[in-house]
Amino acid sequence: MHKTIIIGSGPAGYTAAIYAARADLEPILYAGLEPGGQLTTTTDVDNFPGYPKGILGPQMMDELKEQAQRFGTIVKSDYVSKVEFVNQVGGTHLVYDGSDNQIKTQTVIISTGATAKYLNLPSEQRLIGAGVSACAVCDGFFYRNKEVAIVGGGDSACQEASYLANICKKVTMLVRKGQMRASKAMIHRVHSLENIEIKYHHEVSQVLGQNVVEGLEIVHNQSNEKSQLAIEGLFIAIGHTPNTKLFEGQLIMDQTGYIITNGKTTKTNLPGVFASGDVQDHLYRQAVTAAGTGCMAALDAERYLQELPNH
Ligand code: NDP
């Protein structure tokens, strides 16, 4: 019987591991199929406190892993294939690894993150990290006084377009329908900013550039007319998919699949099961906020174990 199993190896999972290991919970962390998570697909991380010169995303994840291991976390290069949670205080939760081995645990910390959706054009995929990004707050700074485009018409696209408008010379929003899905307040905000141009009924047909983004070929999806847009950064803001398929039917989630946690805690609807990071947060989605909730999850797990009658 283990005290804590952590699922996921982004900033939330590793921070949970650091705290859990230092509290003698002897955590085992399953790194999953994309070890290190979303930060391994970015280059420079300039907004994580404590790195005055910035740090490369993959390096930061290696260092977080090393820090978690230093206190005794066992990091498994394996994934979790199935879980069977129980709704009972002090009950035993079952976790199955990639080879279907059963692991018994008193607590589980879920840090499986979310995956940004992309357009999945070959030219876009090739240039991720070289001008194509799914996070304006992370990468917008690199396009100071430059022209960029953003795809999407939801609240995220509007929020990121407003953020980019403060930094960049011009922001072109490409919205595939004749209207946006975002809230009225968000739409008003983008309309009020002079350096945002909105192109409705437009989609990206190709990202131009060999090694870095040099422009876009866009198409009007009603007239089929193609044109080119000279930009240096392309931001994709068409939504995220929380990685929660594994927990469907067992944990309470919102309608888009994010795990719902209780108030300011990381508690899920099941005793001993906690969620941290982007898997329970569609609003902030930052490495530092994920790390913060990872810390909270480990503290919540520790307190849960301490309060068990047979402790
Ligand atoms: P949404 O799912 O709300 O919006 C996605 C947008 O991307 C839609 O405009 C959609 O177009 C478009 N889109 C999807 N696929 C493609 C594609 N292949 N090509 C072009 N466009 C595409 O996602 P968000 O991330 O914006 O928001 C997720 C949730 O988070 C929402 O509930 C939102 O309200 C919330 N949120 C709230 C914020 C706030 O309150 N401050 C900030 C950010 C998010 P279409 O409409 O045609 O389907």
Side-chain angles (χ1 to χ4, degrees), residues 117-119 151-159 174-177 179-183 186 189 202-204 237-240 255-256 258 282-283 285:
K117 291 185 196 161
Y118 282 91
L119 303 172
V151 181
D155 282 327
S156 295
C158 289
Q159 195 173 49
L174 301 169
V175 181
R176 68 178 173 183
K177 287 197 182 129
Q179 74 282 336
M180 294 203 224
R181 192 193 291 190
S183 58
M186 288 287 194
R189 198 199 292 178
H202 275 87
E203 295 180 40
V204 177
I238 60 172
H240 283 72
Q255 57 198 13
T256 46
Y258 286 88
H282 63 77
L283 275 185
R285 294 195 202 113

Side-chain angles (χ1 to χ4, degrees), residues 111-178:
S111 316
T112 46
T115 306
K117 291 185 196 161
Y118 282 91
L119 303 172
N120 288 325
L121 297 168
S123 55
E124 170 217 45
Q125 292 293 303
R126 190 167 48 79
L127 293 166
I128 289 175
V132 175
S133 165
C135 178
V137 178
C138 319
D139 298 326
F141 186 79
F142 303 119
Y143 303 95
R144 184 169 286 274
N145 296 324
K146 294 181 177 169
E147 298 200 11
V148 298
I150 181 159
V151 181
D155 282 327
S156 295
C158 289
Q159 195 173 49
E160 301 210 340
S162 319
Y163 178 85
L164 291 167
N166 261 328
I167 303 170
C168 306
K169 192 160 133 198
K170 184 179 172 192
V171 180
T172 304
M173 284 187 84
L174 301 169
V175 181
R176 68 178 173 183
K177 287 197 182 129

Side-chain angles (χ1 to χ4, degrees), residues 36-46 55-61 118 128-130 132-135 138-139 142 287:
Q38 291 181 71
L39 276 188
T40 56
T41 63
T42 50
T43 50
D44 297 281
V45 179
D46 278 337
I55 183 166
L56 291 172
Q59 187 189 344
M60 185 167 124
M61 297 321 301
Y118 282 91
I128 289 175
V132 175
S133 165
C135 178
C138 319
D139 298 326
F142 303 119

